[in-house]
Amino acid sequence: MKKVEAIIRKSKFDEVKKALHQIEVNFFSYWDVTGVGNEKQGHVYRGISYSTSDIQRRYLVIVVSDDFLEKTVNVLLDTASTGNVGDGKIFISDVIEAYRIRTKESGSAGIN
């Protein structure tokens, strides 16, 4: 099993969520987060300068079986991308074990 952590634009979240459901990734957690990116210049909107050093994003955590990893990553790469700086990041790590508390199922049965 793998844990996929993705930091994406908030504006792309609904599209990403729909695409994940289409490939049958139906359970994941998400949070609104603020981060600091590489882009240091400010933007001017209607004559007011705004700092872009603090960036509002959405943080997703998805645990999938190994056979769903590639599909999940591809959906994130395809749907979260705008082609502009600040589209986000994806991190993948191993999950040793997963349990469903209600039924006490473990492994892949615990996450499906």
Side-chain angles (χ1 to χ4, degrees):
M1 291 176 289
K2 303 292 184 194
K3 178 165 72 169
V4 179
E5 298 171 277
I7 302 166
I8 63 171
R9 294 175 184 274
K10 289 174 81 171
S11 62
K12 299 295 279 183
F13 176 71
D14 288 333
E15 185 179 344
V16 167
K17 182 171 75 169
K18 182 178 179 181
L20 287 170
H21 286 312
Q22 288 176 346
I23 63 164
E24 298 181 6
V25 174
N26 294 313
F27 178 80
F28 56 89
S29 299
Y30 65 90
W31 298 265
D32 288 332
V33 297
T34 302
V36 178
N38 289 330
E39 189 175 343
K40 301 297 182 209
Q41 60 186 188
H43 289 197
V44 177
Y45 179 72
R46 294 188 178 182
I48 299 172
S49 179
Y50 293 93
S51 170
T52 57
S53 62
D54 296 327
I55 304 168
Q56 298 293 313
R57 294 288 181 256
R58 191 144 286 166
Y59 180 79
L60 288 76
V61 175
I62 310 162
V63 177
V64 296
S65 58
D66 291 343
D67 56 327
F68 268 85
L69 178 62
E70 187 175 345
K71 285 197 293 189
T72 302
V73 170
N74 286 337
V75 160
L76 291 168
L77 290 171
D78 292 342
T79 57
S81 176
T82 66
N84 296 314
V85 171
D87 277 346
K89 304 275 189 222
I90 299 172
F91 307 99
I92 300 170
S93 56
D94 289 321
V95 172
I96 297 169
E97 189 60 88
Y99 293 91
R100 183 185 315 256
I101 295 172
R102 178 178 54 87
T103 62
K104 299 174 181 53
E105 295 171 293
S106 64
S108 293
I111 62 170
N112 292 328

